[in-house]
Amino acid sequence: MSIELAAAAPTGGSNIWSLLLPFVLMFAVFYFLLIRPQQKKSKTRNSMLSALKKNDKIVTIGGLHGTIVEITDDTVVLRVNDVTKLTFDRSAISHVSASSEESASA
């Protein structure tokens, strides 16, 4: 009987790994398919928002097109046409359609 108990002892350790392996694999899949791409997207958006400057042509989240007239840490003043200026939060900017260097060379 002691031989049977000695032979059964090592299988208990491998049994724990066989239970944990699916969870480790699920975490790896979630990390590479969901978490990592979201972090990369967030990093590029934050770098775009920090690189904004005067005379950049931008599009807001709501689809409004305008040119940056004034910019502070939290707000952006956009010129929509010759007369109208609107103030938005910096986070309301979706993307830059043309930077000030592109519009100056065109």
Side-chain angles (χ1 to χ4, degrees):
M1 259 212 188
S2 63
I3 297 172
E4 292 174 11
L5 293 174
T11 59
S14 64
N15 192 15
I16 292 173
W17 284 111
S18 65
L19 290 174
L20 290 178
L21 186 63
F23 291 109
V24 171
L25 290 175
M26 274 195 314
F27 177 76
V29 167
F30 277 117
Y31 179 76
F32 285 109
L33 293 180
L34 299 173
I35 298 170
R36 191 167 177 232
Q38 186 62 35
Q39 287 176 340
K40 187 175 180 180
K41 187 176 181 179
S42 176
K43 186 177 179 182
T44 57
R45 176 168 169 71
N46 288 338
S47 66
M48 182 271 302
L49 289 176
S50 65
L52 290 174
K53 55 192 169 296
K54 197 173 177 180
N55 295 325
D56 281 351
K57 294 183 188 230
I58 57 102
V59 179
T60 65
I61 293 173
L64 184 84
H65 294 252
T67 305
I68 297 176
V69 178
E70 296 175 31
I71 190 165
T72 64
D73 290 339
D74 298 331
T75 61
V76 174
V77 178
L78 300 179
R79 183 178 63 238
V80 181
N81 58 22
D82 294 337
V83 185
T84 309
K85 292 182 183 177
L86 301 171
T87 304
F88 286 93
D89 284 341
R90 198 174 201 152
S91 62
I93 295 173
S94 174
H95 63 274
V96 177
S97 60
S99 65
S100 56
E101 292 92 24
E102 291 175 10
S103 61
S105 64

